[in-house]
Every structure is written in structure tokens, then in C-alpha cells.
Amino acid sequence: MALLEVRELTVLYPVAVGLSAFFSHRFLVAVDRVSFSLPERGTLALVGESGCGKSSTGLAVLGLLEHVRGEVLFRGKDVLKMKGRELREFRRRAQIVFQDPYESLNPKMKVKAIVGEPLAIHRYRAGPDRVGEALELAGLSPPEYFLEKYPHELSGGERQRVAIAAALILKPELLVLDEPVSNLDVSIKAGIMNLFRDLQDELGLSYLFITHDLADAFFLSDEVAVMYLGITVEKGKTEVVLSCPLHPYTEALLSVAPGSRKEKLILAGDVPDPLNPPPGCRFHPRCPRAQTECAAEPPPEIEVGPSHWTRCLLLAQGKRHDET
Ligand code: SF4
């Protein structure tokens, strides 16, 4: 059984429209029927541009959002239906590391209090041993050197390691990593990425890794799901999807990645307004391979190889992109 099975996950945000007293609410569909599974000790990367719905997916998986539909099965139990003790226990077993340690750490708290806080929240016995152990796991050694420090006395990399220690202290099974290295310098980032790999080997963790960086996805993940405007457009084994992409959006992302030798596929315009997504294929206004029929109907998700799925009408019709 997969550790995490997400089925038809939909996330809605209420948005006020109109003026002053006459405004009404509409719902913005940030995530639209997204499905994937994450095996134990596995890593799934959610990739895509800012605003594609990947962070909303991560927060919804942790049961942290309202207006969520679908199923999020953690060891077969639906997180979206959990309450009370069962939900608290899930929250112990599933933790998050955010992008920005400057914002995620309370500047008025010392490291020992920040890392020990989850123990207090979950009413576990706090103690310097548990905190020190978590700091060492996160690569902050010797822990005594860090316990009495405030976040502003630490480097960016050390701050992110403190956030990781706080996520590890409850001995979770699942970590949602929400752009955890995108605010860090290249040299520091490499150390943190290696740390995630080592922790996975040592502790058997599973990661839902949210990133806009395909090189990072390639480094850390076994499987990848590429998101565009709230839907997954391509998913499968990372090695397959990122070395032989079939969806034009994945192709375009890869072609402009640093160091890419592929012919650049430049996307026209910006990501459309998610309140008014384009009809048909959501990607058609920007797709360099769009045909007239692409605006007419949404492409179905089709399996194009072993465990390799994509949504493109041309592929569904059996036309390869180099024939268009
Ligand atoms: Fe591009 Fe058409 Fe395929 Fe959408 S369906 S990705 S617009 S070719």
C-alpha cells in the first residue's frame, strides 16, 4: 500500500468579486482533480511555475486548508475526514518544511524553544536530549552550540536546518518540502539537498517535494508530476519524464532550464487568470504546438508509456509532436 494516495484532489479559494456592498463570492479552483500516489521511502516532486497549485496541493495533503474535495489517503485513512485524536496523530506523522526560514522561525525564540515547540504542542516530554538529537540529525553539530542562539544569529542554511530539526523532532513519516532550498545560495543548497537524501536513507522518510527547479526534482525525486494552472499535465518516473518529456509544457520548462542543450521553446504570455481558465486545453494560449482543436475540449489523461501519463490532445490522437 502507498503511504499516501491522493485522488481527485480539488482545492477551492473563495474570492470576493464586485465592488463594496455589492460584492459576491466566487471560487477559484487552485487545484483541479489532481491524483498521485507516494510510496513509502519514496519522493514525488510537484513541479511547475509559481501559481500552478503545487503549494496548495501540499497544504491540502496535510489537511491545512478549507474547501478541499477528493481523497487524501494516508496509510489508507482519509485525512480530509479525520478529526480529534486521529487528526492530531496524523499531524505528528506528517510535517512541513517551508521555503523561507526567515519567516517560518519566530525571531523571538531561541533554537531550543523553536525545535522543542512541536513536542509541547503534541504534549510529548520535552528535553534537551530530544532537541539535541533533532539538531544533530539536521546537521547542526555540536547541538550545544546552537541551543541558546536566536534565528538572527544563524546563517540562512543554519536557519533552514533548524526548521528541518523542528520538523523531525516528532519522528514523522512524511515531509512536505515546500521549495525548501529556493532561498538559499547554491553551495548551501547542495548541503541541504544532500541532507534530505541522507535523512531519507537513515529514517525511511517519504517526501512530497514542491519545487520549480527541475534539476532539484531530478536530484531528489523518484517520480514527478508537472502542474499547470491547477492540473497535472504530465507525470511518471522522474528519469523518464525529465529525459523524454512528451507534454509541450514539460518540454518548454526543460528547454529553458540552466545548462539545457535543447532548442528553446519560449512560451508566449503569462499564466492565465485561474479564475477564468482558458477553455479546452488550459495550456493552449501559450502552447507552441497548439492546433485549432486544442481550444475546443480538455485533453483526457492518457498513459503514454509504463506509468507515464500526460494530457495532450495530439498525443491522445496518436500524433507525435514532431509530426505537427
Ligand atoms: Fe498544446 Fe494542444 Fe497538447 Fe494542449 S492539447 S498541450 S495546446 S498541443
Side-chain angles (χ1 to χ4, degrees), residues 11-300:
V11 178
L12 308 168
Y13 291 115
V15 180
V17 285
L19 293 171
S20 62
F22 301 107
F23 77 86
S24 60
H25 279 100
R26 279 177 65 194
F27 281 96
L28 180 157
V29 184
V31 178
D32 193 358
R33 289 163 291 158
V34 162
S35 300
F36 57 81
S37 71
L38 174 62
E40 233 167 296
R41 293 176 170 264
T43 301
L44 172 85
L46 292 177
V47 303
E49 291 164 288
S50 160
C52 69
K54 52 193 193 306
S55 290
S56 294
T57 302
L59 293 173
V61 159
L62 294 173
L64 296 174
L65 295 180
E66 293 180 0
H67 311 296
V68 177
R69 316 268 184 274
E71 290 181 311
V72 177
L73 304 176
F74 182 80
R75 295 202 178 283
K77 291 271 183 72
D78 193 347
V79 173
L80 303 181
K81 293 190 177 134
M82 287 180 186
K83 291 196 170 72
R85 183 182 292 190
E86 193 177 31
L87 184 58
R88 275 202 301 282
E89 177 55 14
F90 167 72
R91 295 236 161 101
R92 180 193 72 73
R93 294 159 83 183
Q95 296 285 315
I96 186 164
V97 177
F98 289 105
Q99 171 179 359
D100 192 348
Y102 294 83
E103 281 191 7
S104 65
L105 305 183
N106 185 336
K108 295 186 181 148
M109 286 167 74
K110 289 183 175 176
V111 165
K112 65 180 180 188
I114 292 170
V115 177
E117 192 178 31
L119 291 173
I121 291 170
H122 285 262
R123 300 193 196 124
Y124 284 83
R125 197 177 56 80
D129 295 356
R130 289 281 295 266
V131 173
E133 204 179 286
L135 287 172
E136 284 209 87
L137 276 173
L140 294 172
S141 189
E144 303 74 39
Y145 175 78
F146 296 95
L147 287 171
E148 301 294 331
K149 298 224 181 266
Y150 287 96
H152 73 269
E153 298 176 284
L154 304 173
S155 69
E158 287 168 343
R159 269 193 284 259
Q160 193 57 306
R161 286 174 190 268
V162 169
I164 294 167
L168 291 176
I169 199 160
L170 292 172
K171 303 188 191 306
E173 295 163 74
L174 169 67
L175 284 188
V176 173
L177 307 175
D178 190 357
E179 299 272 13
V181 291
S182 45
N183 272 14
L184 303 176
D185 292 347
V186 178
S187 57
I188 295 167
K189 171 178 156 174
I192 300 279
M193 291 295 283
N194 283 322
L195 173 68
F196 287 134
R197 264 197 176 173
D198 294 344
L199 288 172
Q200 189 164 46
D201 288 345
E202 200 177 325
L203 306 175
L205 294 167
S206 302
Y207 297 138
L208 182 59
F209 178 42
I210 294 162
T211 181
H212 67 279
D213 188 321
L214 298 179
D216 290 347
F218 199 84
F219 178 83
L220 196 63
S221 69
D222 316 301
E223 308 224 350
V224 65
V226 182
M227 292 187 71
Y228 183 79
L229 215 54
I231 58 171
T232 52
V233 293
E234 185 160 7
K235 61 190 181 190
K237 296 265 173 242
T238 303
E239 230 178 271
V240 175
V241 172
L242 297 189
S243 51
C244 304
L246 290 175
H247 194 281
Y249 180 59
T250 319
E251 279 187 281
L253 288 181
L254 277 162
S255 77
V256 296
S260 168
R261 294 203 196 123
K262 294 177 191 286
E263 182 197 342
K264 297 232 177 311
L265 279 178
I266 305 296
L267 299 179
D270 295 322
V271 179
D273 178 1
L275 257 183
N276 296 299
C281 172
R282 292 183 182 193
F283 186 52
H284 86 262
R286 302 176 77 199
C287 179
R289 308 198 192 284
Q291 310 284 300
T292 319
E293 67 261 37
C294 296
E297 55 177 305

